Every structure is written in C-alpha cells, then in structure tokens.
Amino acid sequence: MILNRYERMIARRYLLPEKGERFIFVVAGFSVGAVALGVAALIIVMSVMNGFRAELFDKIVGLNGHALVQGYEGRLGNWRQIADQAKKTPGVTSALPLIVQPLMASTNGRVEGVLVRGMRVEDLRANKTITSNVLSGDIRSITPGSNQVAIGSELAKMLGAFPGSEISLISPEGRSTVVGTVPRIVSFTVGAVFEAGVYDFDKSFVIMPIEDAQSFMMMGDEVGMIELQTDNPDRVGEIVAPLQNLVRGRGIIVDWRQMNSALFEALEVERVAMFVVLCIIILVAAFNIASSLIMLVRSKTRDIAILRTMGATRQAMTRVFMTVGLTIGTVGILAGVLLGAIFLFFRQSVVNFIQLVTGQNLWDPSVRFLSELPSKTDPIEVAAIVLVTLVLTFFATLFPARRAAATDPVQVLRYE
C-alpha cells in the first residue's frame, strides 16, 4: 500500500495520539497484545505438536525400524534369505535380525514385566537412539557370552538396578519335567543403563546380544523378526511390497504406520483441532483491531471532514485508516513471533518453573510418552500463521476505513 507524504504523516499522528486521546492508544495497545498472544500461542502449540510427532517418530523408528518382517509364533526360520533379499530390494537401506520377547525380570525382591530385545552387537553399536543416550555403564561391555545386558532408565529405577547389578530373567519356556514345564531363570549383569526418551521403551527394554537371546530362549539359529529401514518412510508400504511373496506362509510384514496408527492419527487430529481453535483467538484479536479503529474514526470525524474539504480523497482516507490497522496488526505479529521464539527456547525451563511453583507434575513421561517437552518449528507453518493473521487484520480494517472514507464533510461541519 503506497501512501503519499501527508497520508503517512496523518497515519503516524493517529498511531500516536495526543494527551487527551490516550484511551484510544490503550485500546490499540490491547489489540497489539491480543494479536501477539494469538500468534505466539499458535506458533508455540504447532511447534510443540510438530516436535512431539517428530520425536516420537525418531524414537519409535530408531528402535523398531520403518517395517518389521515378523515370524509366526515369534520365530522366523531361514531369516538370512529374507534379509539378503530385502537388502537387494530398491528403497530398503538395511535389514537387521531381531529377537523381541516379553518376559519377567527380578532383582532385589522386585519383579517387573520386560521386553527382551536381542540384537547383533554391530547393530547395537550403530543404533544412535541407544548409544547416544547411555546414562551409566558402558554399552561396549554388551558382547556375546559376556552375560551382560543394557536396560532402560525407568526399568532401572523400578528394579533398583544399576551397572554391576544382577537381574534374573524368567522365561516361561523352560525344560519339561514330570510335573510340567519349569520356567527358565538365568541371571545377567547390568552393563549399561540408557534413556531412549520414550517412556514405554525406557520402562521395559532389556537389550542383549542376539546370540545370548537365542541361547536363553532356546531358539537355535532362528530370530523373531527382521527390522527394515527404508530411504522414504512415507513410501514404506510400496517399497516392501515385493517382499510379501517371499515371507508368505512364514510371517507378515507390518510398517510403522500400522504399528502406531492410532497414536499418529490422534496427533494429527489434535494438531488440526488446535490450529482451528487458536485461529479463533487471532480472529478475536482482529475484531479488537476493528473496534479500536471504529473508536478512532468516531473521535476523528471532525478531522476527517476538514481533510476532505482540503482536498483529501475518499481513497486517501481509506488508505490512512487501513495503514493504521495493518500497522497495529504487524506490530502484534512481530511481537508474537518474538514471544513464541523466546518461549520455545526456554520451554523446558518454563515447564520446570511452573512445576516448582504449583507442585504439580505437568510433564509426566508415563502419560506424555516423551521425557521432555519437544519442539520443532516449521518455517512454512510460521509463514502461514503470519499470512493468516495479516489477512484477518486486513479484513478487520476494511469496515472502519470505509466508514472514515464515507464521512460527509457538509454534515459534520454544518454547525461549525
């Protein structure tokens, strides 16, 4: 919007009213604050939702892959053939054998349900989700025949275990006797404690070399599943489709969307719902701008009439008041973006402070899945938020600006 010199002077004058018109300035300030809070809230919520989805995806996929070839009854024979064929499939970047079995763990008189995960040592060392988050102990101590395991941090707390502690794993598939099957109980030493960042993993995972898992569970050379990584998670179904015939009759293929469909669909629905709700807050802020401009037009009716008699056109008055409204909106947007950025940078400190003041646990990992409040700001979404706010502000200024332009100087100055 291009303004003449005198139009810019008038707009600046109306943005900074004189002493007797401070009330209008206060109302405009409230409008700026409302826009800033709306924009900041929208940026914060969308960034947290994006971060939540990204963190969950990275953690879950980091431990479960993009797809799993699962053997029937938890056993997959001739798995090397499947793994070799999977590696040759276009789009598949890795195929890793795994054994995943729910068992019981006992130590210090405590018993907890666990998920034993057998991995090849080289695959364990290459898994950044685990190796980059070791809290205590040494992950390199987990080697075949060492009788050492790595456990999640929450499980360590529940069992009261730490590196060097002995834990007993209990498998229902033991040896047969005349009185029935006797559970198999084997003791292992905790070699490392890790925190993957997903509560459900940290409270249940016991990781050991795949050779030790095969021996403990009496599986011979079989594995439970093959974890597949692809170069495009969104096309995982299409990429692994050629493997369906190979595994038919021996197992099934499930991808990350099928394994976690309810969770990610719920996140997407909540994300859209929050965007709509917070856009309503920005709409209310736009109405505040419209209200402040209407008050400004009412208080400046005489000034507008004089300007019209001096040659100012209707279009000039429209531009002046639209500039005032858009300036208020722009200042609010800039303040909102800054406020949102500051909050996101200190988000965990803010959560910790509120927890300290209120005494409430606002971020319980057992409910929120993740250990800390995540954030991932999408520049495209921020640009969309700014654009939506500008559009709403633009439409909010139309009516007051047109009312100012429609002022009849004859009627206003008749009795002056």
Side-chain angles (χ1 to χ4, degrees):
M1 186 181 300
I2 301 176
L3 276 68
N4 297 326
R5 183 178 179 182
Y6 83 91
E7 292 171 354
R8 289 197 298 270
M9 182 269 293
I10 296 171
R12 185 166 54 250
R13 169 69 177 77
Y14 288 170
L15 283 168
L16 301 171
E18 294 178 344
K19 185 176 181 180
E21 301 167 339
R22 294 298 184 191
F23 179 71
I24 298 174
F25 182 75
V26 171
V27 174
F30 280 120
S31 300
V32 171
V35 173
L37 290 176
V39 170
L42 198 48
I43 291 175
I44 292 168
V45 169
M46 298 305 292
S47 296
V48 169
M49 295 296 294
N50 289 339
F52 202 91
R53 186 184 187 280
E55 284 290 318
L56 274 179
F57 181 81
D58 289 343
K59 303 292 186 183
I60 291 174
V61 170
L63 289 171
N64 292 330
H66 296 156
L68 294 176
V69 180
Q70 296 179 327
Y72 291 135
E73 297 182 354
R75 293 175 179 263
L76 188 64
N78 199 16
W79 60 269
R80 288 183 176 83
Q81 177 191 0
I82 298 174
D84 291 340
Q85 187 62 39
K87 293 175 183 177
K88 298 175 183 177
T89 302
V92 176
T93 57
S94 68
L96 312 179
L98 291 176
I99 295 175
V100 179
Q101 187 71 35
L103 300 177
M104 300 294 292
S106 173
T107 186
N108 300 322
R110 305 177 187 179
V111 180
E112 296 289 342
V114 299
L115 201 62
V116 173
R117 184 182 179 92
M119 304 175 64
R120 293 185 302 190
V121 172
E122 59 268 28
D123 299 334
L124 174 60
R125 304 276 172 81
N127 192 309
K128 299 299 182 184
T129 303
I130 298 173
T131 57
S132 299
N133 296 285
V134 175
L135 300 183
S136 58
D138 188 356
I139 200 70
R140 292 173 296 180
S141 65
I142 314 300
T143 57
S146 66
N147 215 40
Q148 297 202 35
V149 297
I151 65 176
S153 57
E154 295 298 326
L155 179 61
K157 293 177 184 177
M158 291 187 291
L159 292 176
F162 50 87
S165 298
E166 296 286 332
I167 65 171
S168 297
L169 295 181
I170 307 169
S171 173
E173 296 186 8
R175 66 181 186 275
S176 298
T177 66
V178 293
V179 295
T181 301
V182 177
R184 183 176 174 82
I185 304 176
V186 177
S187 295
F188 293 87
T189 302
V190 177
V193 176
F194 65 91
E195 184 177 69
V198 179
Y199 181 81
D200 286 354
F201 294 164
D202 292 333
K203 76 171 184 178
S204 60
F205 269 17
V206 175
I207 298 177
M208 64 174 63
I210 195 169
E211 295 86 354
D212 292 354
Q214 289 172 328
S215 175
F216 174 55
M217 300 174 197
M218 298 181 295
M219 296 181 65
D221 189 45
E222 294 180 325
V223 300
M225 62 189 66
I226 296 175
E227 174 192 289
L228 303 178
Q229 295 280 0
T230 66
D231 57 8
N232 189 345
D234 294 327
R235 294 181 53 248
V236 62
E238 177 185 341
I239 292 172
V240 302
L243 297 173
Q244 293 288 354
N245 291 332
L246 181 62
V247 303
R248 184 173 289 115
R250 289 186 283 179
I252 59 173
I253 300 178
V254 293
D255 60 44
W256 66 271
R257 291 172 297 191
Q258 295 168 320
M259 291 185 285
N260 307 281
S261 58
L263 176 60
F264 285 102
E265 286 177 9
L267 284 175
E268 191 62 29
V269 171
E270 186 174 356
R271 182 170 172 271
V272 173
M274 294 302 296
F275 182 84
V276 172
V277 170
L278 293 173
C279 278
I280 294 175
I281 295 178
I282 296 178
L283 182 61
V284 172
F287 283 131
N288 286 341
I289 294 176
S291 300
S292 63
L293 285 180
I294 290 172
M295 294 177 61
L296 181 62
V297 170
R298 294 282 295 179
S299 67
K300 299 295 184 181
T301 300
R302 184 171 177 273
D303 292 358
I304 295 170
I306 294 174
L307 289 170
R308 289 294 312 282
T309 59
M310 295 175 64
T313 63
R314 292 177 182 270
Q315 291 77 12
M317 291 295 97
T318 301
R319 288 195 295 269
V320 167
F321 283 93
M322 289 189 70
T323 299
V324 173
L326 289 173
T327 300
I328 293 173
T330 302
V331 172
I333 290 171
L334 294 176
V337 171
L338 180 61
L339 181 62
I342 293 174
F343 182 91
L344 290 173
F345 185 79
F346 296 103
R347 62 188 183 280
Q348 194 59 45
S349 300
V350 172
V351 172
N352 294 337
F353 175 75
I354 295 175
Q355 290 181 155
L356 180 64
V357 172
T358 62
Q360 299 295 321
N361 187 2
L362 302 180
W363 193 260
D364 185 354
S366 64
V367 177
R368 312 293 184 185
F369 293 100
L370 300 179
S371 303
E372 292 186 349
L373 180 66
S375 172
K376 182 180 180 181
T377 303
D378 185 348
I380 296 178
E381 283 189 348
V382 173
I385 292 169
V386 170
L387 181 61
V388 168
T389 307
L390 280 176
V391 169
L392 292 176
T393 302
F394 172 79
F395 284 112
T397 62
L398 283 179
F399 176 73
R402 290 184 179 277
R403 289 289 298 175
T407 300
D408 185 355
V410 176
Q411 294 293 331
V412 174
L413 301 176
R414 175 179 296 176
Y415 301 107
E416 294 293 332

